């Protein structure tokens, strides 16, 4: 039986590329001198896509060029880079990589929270700049006595909550609906959650429904001792409103692993002393990224072997 043609629009890890080469005819679109000409010739034969956020938006513009496309295997639990509803309307399956990254992202979230509140990066810079002999680093705020609100209590949100339980802090949450098996206090709106807490952790999916969900009203509700942690998608936070809130003292500080226009980060945010910034590394460990890549491969293999992918997204099931 001839091998199936798979298209990879942008580079993925060498392990994923190697595994797909073993099982499929893998076409590397980024290596084509004329992508449009290549798609005109080869597009009708492509039955699968392996994509990450580096590929940009995957929607009708590409679907139209791939009339035989059956599946889009996305690298990442978030798949707002893929028009899943548009894919579903064409009978195209979409998969993602949930589960294998939950603990890694939760670990990073706690690290970012502690770094932001205890001002760990600022303290390190103080030492490296030779300032310790001139006097002690200023006292930091504390996690003690705080109430943490989790905006989006999905699998990763629950992993974050389990870790926070060990820190002895109160936990509350907001999501699309109250969860019957969750003992934490539930708030009907994000504003109500922010008003009741002084730490807000955003871990909701990206996309149009959550764009700028964390806005000026929520930041005001969070208050002058409040800390925002965003490990969701950059689009979830209104960065202009966040900059204004940080500069004016409307909130105390923020820890950000994601940004609206990655990898470009507004200089205005970088210049603020009360922000800790990371280059979107929530799941970026060798072990976890390897597991995510393997799940991309497994989804493609399972689909073409029997039409039942391992982790389909809800829109296409």
């Amino acid at each position: 039986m001839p091998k199936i043609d798979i298209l990879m629009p942008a580079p993925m890890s060498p392990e994923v590329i190697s595994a797909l080469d073993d099982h499929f005819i893998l076409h590397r679109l980024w290596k084509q001198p004329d992508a449009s000409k290549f798609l005109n010739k080869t597009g009708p034969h492509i039955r699968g896509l392996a994509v990450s956020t580096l590929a940009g938006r995957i929607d009708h513009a590409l679907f139209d060029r791939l009339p035989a496309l059956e599946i889009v295997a996305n690298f990442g639990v978030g798949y707002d880079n893929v028009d899943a509803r548009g894919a579903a309307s064409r009978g195209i399956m979409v998969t993602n990589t949930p589960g294998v990254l939950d603990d890694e992202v939760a670990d990073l979230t706690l690290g970012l929270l502690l770094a932001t509140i205890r001002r760990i990066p600022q303290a390190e810079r103080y030492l490296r700049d030779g300032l310790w002999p001139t006097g002690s680093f200023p006292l930091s705020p504390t996690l003690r006595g705080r109430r943490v609100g989790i905006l989006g209590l999905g699998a990763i949100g629950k992993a974050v909550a389990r870790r926070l339980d060990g820190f002895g802090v109160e936990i509350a949450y907001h999501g699309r609906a109250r969860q019957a098996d969750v003992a934490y206090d539930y708030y009907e709106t994000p504003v109500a959650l922010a008003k009741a807490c002084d730490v807000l952790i955003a871990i909701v999916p990206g996309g149009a429904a959550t764009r700028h969900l964390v806005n000026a009203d929520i930041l005001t509700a969070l208050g002058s001792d409040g800390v925002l942690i965003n490990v969701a998608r950059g689009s979830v936070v209104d960065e202009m409103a966040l900059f204004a809130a940080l500069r004016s003292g409307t909130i105390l500080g923020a820890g950000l692993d994601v940004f609206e226009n990655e990898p470009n980060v507004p200089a205005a945010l970088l210049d603020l002393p009360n922000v800790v910034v990371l280059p979107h590394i929530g799941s970026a460990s060798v072990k976890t990224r390897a597991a995510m890549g393997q799940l991309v491969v497994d989804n493609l293999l399972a689909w073409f072997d029997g039409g039942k992918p391992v982790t389909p997204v809800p829109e296409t099931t």
Side-chain angles (χ1 to χ4, degrees):
M1 181 177 177
K3 283 188 174 181
I4 292 165
D5 291 270
I6 301 292
L7 181 68
M8 186 179 287
M12 298 175 71
S13 72
E15 294 78 12
V16 172
I17 291 173
S18 177
L20 292 178
D21 272 332
D22 287 344
H23 296 284
F24 303 99
I25 300 172
L26 181 64
H27 300 276
R28 298 154 170 82
L29 186 60
W30 74 93
K31 289 194 171 183
Q32 299 300 321
D34 188 331
S36 183
K37 184 177 179 179
F38 171 82
L39 289 174
N40 286 339
K41 179 181 178 181
T42 307
H45 305 291
I46 299 295
R47 295 174 59 190
L49 272 175
V51 304
S52 69
T53 54
L54 292 177
R57 182 70 174 163
I58 305 298
D59 57 17
H60 65 90
L62 184 56
F63 297 154
D64 287 346
R65 309 292 295 273
L66 309 174
L69 185 64
E70 301 175 30
I71 181 171
V72 179
N74 184 67
F75 180 91
V77 64
Y79 53 94
D80 46 304
N81 52 307
V82 180
D83 180 5
R85 294 190 185 281
S89 71
R90 296 169 180 248
I92 300 169
M93 173 60 64
V94 178
T95 64
N96 63 341
T97 61
V100 295
L101 52 70
D102 296 351
D103 286 331
E104 203 74 77
V105 176
D107 290 348
L108 188 282
T109 302
L110 267 292
L112 183 56
L113 172 61
L114 290 172
T116 302
I117 290 181
R118 293 301 312 275
R119 304 185 68 214
I120 293 172
Q122 295 92 328
E124 184 191 26
R125 286 196 297 271
Y126 186 86
L127 184 152
R128 289 183 180 276
D129 289 344
L131 297 175
W132 194 7
T134 70
S136 298
F137 183 74
L139 299 179
S140 74
T142 181
L143 184 61
R144 301 300 93 222
R146 286 182 178 269
R147 194 177 202 214
V148 179
I150 300 177
L151 189 58
L153 198 68
I156 299 175
K158 286 185 173 72
V160 171
R162 288 194 299 271
R163 285 155 174 76
L164 286 169
D165 280 334
F167 282 83
V169 296
E170 289 188 58
I171 301 170
Y173 75 102
H174 167 77
R176 285 170 290 195
R178 184 191 300 270
Q179 300 185 37
D181 59 344
V182 171
Y184 308 125
D185 289 340
Y186 175 75
Y187 288 85
E188 296 286 344
T189 68
V191 171
L193 177 66
K195 192 173 293 185
C197 299
D198 47 25
V199 172
L200 185 66
I201 298 175
I203 190 61
V204 295
T210 59
R211 179 171 175 77
H212 289 184
L213 178 63
V214 178
N215 55 22
D217 291 340
I218 287 179
L219 295 170
T220 298
L222 189 56
S224 60
D225 197 37
V227 172
L228 172 70
I229 304 295
N230 187 13
V231 288
R233 282 287 190 263
S235 59
V236 170
V237 174
D238 181 340
E239 285 184 352
M240 293 301 294
L242 176 61
F243 169 72
L246 289 163
R247 185 176 59 176
S248 67
T250 299
I251 66 172
L252 180 66
L256 308 171
D257 185 43
V258 289
F259 303 89
E260 284 199 78
N261 186 29
E262 296 176 5
N264 304 300
V265 181
L269 278 177
L270 295 177
D271 290 341
L272 292 172
N274 51 346
V275 181
V276 175
V277 291
L278 299 174
H280 200 156
I281 59 170
S283 64
S285 74
V286 172
K287 180 179 179 179
T288 295
R289 287 290 172 87
M292 292 166 65
Q294 186 60 52
L295 192 46
V296 169
V297 175
D298 290 346
N299 272 308
L300 288 165
L301 289 172
W303 173 259
F304 290 114
D305 186 50
K308 293 182 179 180
V310 182
T311 51
V313 304
E315 292 89 338
T316 57
T317 55

